[in-house]
Structures are given as structure tokens and as C-alpha cells.
Amino acid sequence: LNEGLLEISDKCFYECRSLKEIKIPNTVTKIGNGCFQYCIDLTKIELNEGLLEIGDRCFYDCESLKEITIPNTVTKLGKNCFDYCTNLTKIKLSDNLIHLNSETFNNCPQLKEITLPKYLETIDQFLFNDCSNLTTIHFGTLENMKEVWKLNHLKTIKEITIGNDWKFEGDRLFRNKDGVLSSFILPTTIQKINGQNVVSKQLTSYTIPTNVTKINNYCFVNCKELTEIKGIERIKEFGNNCFSNCDKLNLESIQYEYK
């Protein structure tokens, strides 16, 4: 492809089964719908800084694609963009994406870990539908993120980490009550843990961030395997029923007024 090209049209390389590698010119700002759909031998694509939009089903069924970097200039990623990329293992998303559509990563069984965009605001509920081996999600600031609950259906997630710029103030951050979540790492900068932000039947131990002095209502409710909370001695204020149904937690060792 030549420099000077501004847009790659819909289905431009649709079903080009022999295409293995491609570099997008620096002048391209938009890649159309289904552009590389069914390019089953595509193993490498280099996207350009300056790209703004990637269309629906752009890489649908690119089964040989293993990794890809979405430049930070991209602000729109289409529906079903990586649907059935069955060997995709690594993706770097643009931090300037504010929305991720339903089934963007549908049926990506080799995707095990992902870092969500720093300024993400909204997601559709089945963003990672049938990503059967996805175990780790890294969040950024969550400053404007109001729909984290839409990830609660993911039953394979074992670890969640949240960056130190975290500004999320809501309840029910991640209620993985029927899943396998065993590690939930909040940033050291927060001062309180909100209601039902830590709910998982598989969580056995938890370390409270150093600046936290308050635990809100129902914070650890139904964490039935929880046996240890490190840093609990720093807590000055406990909410109602914050350890309700924590059957294995030794409440006598925690000096607080049980409500």
C-alpha cells in the first residue's frame, strides 16, 4: 500500500487467504468494515500512528493472527473486530478508546491477559464472550467507567489489577461470586473500599492497600473461602455486614464492632 492513501474501503482484502503480512501507510485514518475478514493466513499487521477508526469485523476470523498493537490515535474499534481470532494471544489497545463493543473479542480462546484502555468509559456486556482462557484483566484509572458490572459473567478470571490512578467510586466493582477470582489488587492510593467491591467465593487472602482506613457496607460479603485479611489493623471504620457470610474468617481476631 502506498503513502498518501487516506482510507482502506470496506472488505478491501476480504477473504484474501494468501495474505500473510501488511503494513498500513502513515496517512491512513480509517480501515473499513470487514477489511481483513477471513484472511486466515494473516500473521502480522502493522497499524500506523494517525489511524483513527477500525471498522466492524475488520479482523474477523483471522485465525493465524497472534498479536497486534492498536495505536493510541485510534478512538473507535468496530463490533466483532477480533471475532474468531482463535490464536490471538496478545493485544495492546489504544488508551484513547472510550467504548468497547459487544463481542469485540468473541471466541478468542488463546487470549489469557488483557489491559483495558486507560480512559475507557463504557463496555458492552459480552465483550469477551467465549474467551475461555482469559484469566487476567488489568484496569487503568476507571475514572469514567460506570459499567464494570458487565464483566461479572466472566467465570475464568483469576486476577484483577487496578492502576494507581484509580478514581472509581461505585459499588459492586467486580462480583465474581460464581467464578475463580483469587487475586484482586487495588491501588495503594485509595482510602476506602466500597460496598461489594470484593466478592468471590475463591478469594482466600486479601491485602488491604496501605492508605485505606474505611471499609464500606457489605464489602467482603459472601467471600466464603476468605481466611486472612492483611492490614486490617489500619481500618478505623467498618460498614454494616462487611464480613457477612465470610464463614472461614476468624472474626474474633478482627477488633471491630460487628454490625
Side-chain angles (χ1 to χ4, degrees):
L1 296 177
N2 296 325
E3 293 292 336
L5 184 66
L6 298 178
E7 182 177 328
I8 304 176
S9 61
D10 294 352
K11 296 188 175 182
C12 185
F13 296 96
Y14 183 89
E15 213 167 356
C16 290
R17 295 180 180 270
S18 297
L19 181 66
K20 296 183 183 297
E21 295 185 11
I22 192 167
K23 181 179 180 180
I24 306 301
N26 291 328
T27 50
V28 171
T29 59
K30 180 181 178 180
I31 300 177
N33 298 333
C35 188
F36 297 99
Q37 190 170 349
Y38 298 124
C39 292
I40 59 174
D41 282 337
L42 182 66
T43 58
K44 182 179 180 180
I45 181 165
E46 187 175 335
L47 301 176
N48 60 301
E49 290 289 337
L51 182 63
L52 301 176
E53 180 179 345
I54 299 175
D56 297 345
R57 304 177 306 283
C58 187
F59 300 101
Y60 186 101
D61 204 12
C62 289
E63 60 183 42
S64 297
L65 189 65
K66 293 184 177 181
E67 61 180 75
I68 189 171
T69 296
I70 309 298
N72 279 334
T73 52
V74 174
T75 58
K76 183 178 180 181
L77 197 62
K79 297 177 181 178
N80 302 93
C81 194
F82 297 98
D83 207 345
Y84 287 93
C85 289
T86 53
N87 285 295
L88 185 68
T89 60
K90 184 178 180 180
I91 182 167
K92 169 68 172 65
L93 292 171
S94 165
D95 274 333
N96 290 305
L97 288 167
I98 61 173
H99 178 71
L100 290 174
N101 289 295
S102 178
E103 300 185 346
T104 299
F105 300 99
N106 181 51
N107 208 339
C108 295
Q110 298 305 316
L111 188 64
K112 298 179 180 180
E113 180 176 353
I114 193 165
T115 299
L116 294 180
K118 187 174 183 179
Y119 302 110
L120 189 64
E121 295 181 6
T122 58
I123 58 175
D124 286 341
Q125 188 162 4
F126 298 105
L127 173 63
F128 297 108
N129 197 38
D130 291 328
C131 291
S132 54
N133 287 300
L134 184 63
T135 59
T136 304
I137 296 179
H138 304 288
F139 289 94
T141 65
L142 289 183
E143 181 175 3
N144 299 309
M145 185 75 165
K146 305 301 181 185
E147 300 177 328
V148 185
W149 62 270
K150 288 185 177 180
L151 296 175
N152 285 342
H153 69 286
L154 298 174
K155 306 305 181 187
T156 59
I157 301 301
K158 294 181 179 180
E159 180 179 5
I160 292 175
T161 63
I162 301 174
N164 279 335
D165 293 328
W166 190 49
K167 297 179 181 179
F168 182 81
E169 291 293 332
D171 293 341
R172 297 176 173 88
L173 175 62
F174 200 88
R175 299 185 66 194
N176 192 240
K177 61 181 181 178
D178 295 320
V180 294
L181 180 66
S182 58
S183 178
F184 191 95
I185 304 173
L186 291 172
T188 57
T189 52
I190 67 170
Q191 296 180 335
K192 65 178 179 179
I193 303 177
N194 289 340
Q196 298 190 48
N197 272 357
V198 187
V199 179
S200 172
K201 287 183 178 179
Q202 299 301 316
L203 193 69
T204 59
S205 177
Y206 188 76
T207 300
I208 295 176
T210 54
N211 290 326
V212 171
T213 58
K214 179 181 179 181
I215 296 177
N216 279 349
N217 301 341
Y218 305 102
C219 183
F220 294 95
V221 66
N222 292 323
C223 291
K224 294 182 178 296
E225 297 298 318
L226 187 64
T227 60
E228 179 185 34
I229 300 180
K230 299 176 182 178
I232 196 71
E233 68 279 358
R234 295 190 298 271
I235 303 302
K236 298 178 180 178
E237 184 177 352
F238 294 90
N240 296 330
N241 297 301
C242 55
F243 302 113
S244 180
N245 294 327
C246 294
D247 300 337
K248 296 185 178 181
L249 188 65
N250 182 8
L251 295 177
E252 293 182 359
S253 66
I254 301 175
Q255 295 180 1
Y256 83 109
E257 184 180 351
Y258 188 72
K259 300 178 182 180

